[in-house]
Amino acid sequence: MAVSDHVDFNGFMEGVKRRNPYQPEFVQAVQEVAEDIFDFIGDKEEYHEQQILRRVAEPDRVVSFRVCWEDDQGNIRVQRGWRVQNNNAIGPYKGGIRFHPSVTESVLKFLAFEQTFKNALTGLPMGGGKGGSNFNPKGKSVREIMRFCQSFMTELYRHIGADVDVPAGDIGVGGREIGFMFGQYKRITGHFTGVLTGKGLEYGGSLIRPEATGYGAVYFLANMLAARDMNLEGKITVISGSGNVATHAAEKIVHLGGKPVTLSDSGGFIHDPEGLTLEKIDWVKAHKTHRRGRIQDYVEQFKGARFHEGKTPWHVPCDVALPCATQNELLGDDARALVANGCIAVSEGANMPCDLDAVHAFKAAKIMFAPGKAANAGGVAVSGLEMSQNSARRSWSEGELQQMLKDIMHGIHQRCLTYGDRGGGYVDYVKGANISGFKKVADAMLAFGVV
Ligand code: NDP
Ligand code: 2IT
């Protein structure tokens, strides 16, 4: 078949939409990648003939299951759980678990698809997967969360393994939940293996895993700025979210001399024009994680800050921005407002926080824009290092891991340049990340033949 006979981009996307009805997030994620991959594979007959893009956009499997648990009042509750195993061409499936009422099969399929290319970009041998449940941890007691995690793992355990599929945390799943799930896995199987990452330090976890995603997103931002002879010193930074990724991103911005002025949650955002200090960030961490409080309480604690109910922070003037909450939280008009207000760089700490309109607006304005699959890969990269430490039954020091994280983020930046450098000082990091991540997975798939 001649290259010209192959299905075009529109035909491909029509097929994706037809096969995945009512899955808008998944279709969106595939479209963002396919836009660039079609350019790249235009003259590469083998990728067409072997249907590589079509195959990578079809998860290896989606496991869906019922999760029953008993609440503190003795009521029986029923949730749905999933594990999406997207692709294991370059290593065991790897990716987080999300507990949030907005979780659907579409959301997890988009996350597992993105994870496949993100993991390839890290340079470590990890395939792509994602799991989760529509369970809402908000307002639940710790015992209820424990019972839910145990019930979730009672089904999940048969689908995962240290060389098969290694889940970790994501929205609503932190160290505590990983502990409950690891305990249940060990209880059912009797095996102490590196089947989950993000574990506590006492039982096989890695130093700096909690910090890695936020720190990594800021390192990537610093790499983009350095490529243009700039740095973070004095840069006004707008950040969304107030969870694991957002608070550690804010912390690293402060370390590097920048000035974070916002954080948010699903209730709205706080604007602190004086800037968040390490002390203020520690208060937010304790308030959101241990006290499970709301970000609006910040303004009672720290004078001079204001809470904006039901709003996102993108209209606050800034030099750089880090969306670190959730998907589709930064839309086209937000992107245009950021550009108009002088924002020069955006680094996605969250997965797909910017919708396609926003991404196109950043590209049109030619500002520095780092997609999540490159910018937030530091978390899964340190998860990969946790797997290595578990296999070798040893632990690296904090200093060693900090250096490895920096090197990995630098390596990802370099990989983006390979296919993203447009000349004249402009780098299309979206294209660079998509093609670089795709190529590694695609070439491994070619080696296996039709499987
Ligand atoms: P957390 O659960 O620690 O924090 C999530 C934050 O996002 C909270 O502030 C939460 O607010 C806010 N949020 C969640 N959903 C919504 C929503 N629908 N609208 C507005 N705000 C919302 O999660 P993480 O920090 O771990 O994850 C944040 C993002 O980073 C996600 O996109 C995740 O996939 C991505 N990511 C995480 C990695 C990790 O290692 N943890 C690695 C790579 C990416 P509230 O408290 O009100 O719910
Ligand atoms: O989106 C992500 O990369 C994560 N939630 C982290 C996955 C992992 O396996 O550490």
Side-chain angles (χ1 to χ4, degrees):
M1 209 182 342
V3 169
S4 55
D5 293 339
H6 295 298
V7 64
D8 64 1
F9 173 75
N10 290 332
F12 173 79
M13 282 313 303
E14 279 313 310
V16 171
K17 285 178 194 154
R18 202 173 52 247
R19 286 187 296 277
N20 301 280
Y22 311 111
Q23 300 203 337
E25 296 87 359
F26 178 64
V27 171
Q28 180 185 339
V30 173
Q31 178 164 345
E32 192 202 284
V33 170
E35 277 176 3
D36 292 323
I37 300 308
F38 263 86
D39 269 4
F40 173 65
I41 63 176
D43 58 352
K44 296 181 180 61
E45 182 62 22
E46 215 174 359
Y47 293 134
H48 287 284
E49 196 184 273
Q50 296 297 317
Q51 296 278 346
I52 299 295
L53 185 56
R54 174 78 206 277
R55 281 156 65 184
V56 86
E58 192 69 44
D60 288 357
R61 65 191 63 76
V62 179
V63 184
S64 158
F65 49 95
R66 183 185 65 238
V67 187
C68 297
W69 58 285
E70 190 175 347
D71 69 20
D72 287 345
Q73 286 70 47
N75 304 307
I76 303 305
R77 310 280 288 262
V78 184
Q79 244 74 50
R80 191 170 294 175
W82 290 269
R83 186 71 184 166
V84 178
Q85 297 179 330
N86 192 70
N87 188 291
N88 66 352
I90 65 165
Y93 303 108
K94 179 87 196 86
I97 290 177
R98 178 178 291 191
F99 292 163
H100 194 272
S102 65
V103 166
T104 60
E105 190 174 313
S106 170
V107 167
L108 296 177
K109 276 172 67 177
F110 116 64
L111 288 163
F113 178 77
E114 285 280 291
Q115 196 83 43
T116 302
F117 307 110
K118 182 197 306 191
N119 293 2
L121 275 170
T122 65
L124 300 173
M126 301 181 288
K130 201 84 184 191
S133 172
N134 57 359
F135 173 70
N136 185 359
K138 275 202 198 105
K140 304 292 188 299
S141 71
V142 174
R143 285 304 172 97
E144 287 177 322
I145 290 173
M146 180 188 76
R147 286 196 292 273
F148 179 81
C149 288
Q150 291 175 338
S151 185
F152 185 82
M153 184 52 84
T154 300
E155 173 60 32
L156 186 68
Y157 90 95
R158 68 188 79 242
H159 307 291
I160 61 176
D163 294 318
V164 179
D165 183 353
V166 184
D170 193 81
I171 292 178
V173 177
R176 179 181 55 198
E177 291 73 22
I178 293 291
F180 291 147
M181 286 192 270
F182 188 78
Q184 184 72 351
Y185 181 87
K186 191 167 65 58
R187 177 195 199 187
I188 295 172
T189 64
H191 292 166
F192 193 112
T193 66
V195 68
L196 296 172
T197 61
K199 299 185 292 297
L201 294 177
E202 306 77 13
Y203 58 96
S206 175
L207 286 164
I208 83 156
R209 175 61 189 89
E211 296 87 349
T213 310
Y215 281 18
V218 175
Y219 289 144
F220 198 92
L221 179 59
N223 274 295
M224 292 198 295
L225 292 171
R228 291 197 181 183
D229 294 324
M230 290 188 270
N231 60 41
L232 279 162
E233 198 68 45
K235 297 280 184 302
I236 309 279
T237 309
V238 160
I239 302 175
S240 65
S242 48
N244 172 279
V245 180
T247 52
H248 290 108
E251 196 169 283
K252 186 49 71 181
I253 287 284
V254 174
H255 291 164
L256 297 181
K259 187 174 173 186
V261 294
T262 66
L263 286 176
S264 72
D265 65 15
S266 50
F269 78 93
I270 57 105
H271 180 201
D272 185 344
E274 283 176 25
L276 282 94
T277 57
L278 294 179
E279 185 204 356
K280 292 175 179 178
I281 295 165
D282 280 346
W283 181 87
V284 174
K285 281 186 192 169
H287 191 62
K288 289 293 296 184
T289 311
H290 305 307
R291 296 192 288 275
R292 293 201 266 162
R294 309 303 304 157
I295 197 66
Q296 70 181 85
D297 303 332
Y298 183 98
V299 299
E300 307 294 322
Q301 199 70 19
F302 303 107
K303 299 297 164 213
R306 283 192 58 193
F307 177 63
H308 300 263
E309 193 177 347
K311 299 240 165 32
T312 51
W314 314 122
H315 293 249
V316 173
C318 65
D319 300 309
V320 297
L322 287 145
C324 297
T326 193
Q327 65 273 4
N328 292 328
E329 55 160 324
L330 195 164
L331 310 179
D333 285 344
D334 302 320
R336 287 180 277 277
L338 280 165
V339 171
N341 283 332
C343 178
I344 57 168
V346 176
S347 180
E348 289 189 329
N351 285 306
M352 208 168 73
C354 304
D355 75 352
L356 274 168
D357 189 15
V359 174
H360 290 155
F362 291 138
K363 282 190 179 194
K366 292 201 165 178
I367 72 161
M368 289 171 258
F369 173 70
K373 63 173 75 65
N376 71 38
V380 75
V382 174
S383 278
L385 301 179
E386 183 171 331
M387 290 167 72
S388 303
Q389 293 171 89
N390 291 166
S391 299
R393 303 196 191 287
R394 60 163 299 183
S395 305
W396 286 313
S397 71
E398 183 169 344
E400 287 171 305
L401 287 157
Q402 292 282 13
Q403 193 54 48
M404 285 188 238
L405 173 60
K406 272 189 203 162
D407 291 346
I408 288 170
M409 296 315 296
H410 183 258
I412 296 172
H413 184 265
Q414 292 305 111
R415 274 175 214 117
C416 289
L417 295 186
T418 307
Y419 294 103
D421 197 341
R422 304 283 96 188
Y426 176 63
V427 180
D428 182 343
Y429 286 96
V430 178
K431 194 183 242 356
N434 282 339
I435 297 178
S436 202
F438 172 82
K439 188 173 183 308
K440 180 169 178 185
V441 175
D443 290 347
M445 289 171 74
L446 286 179
F448 302 147
V450 183
V451 289

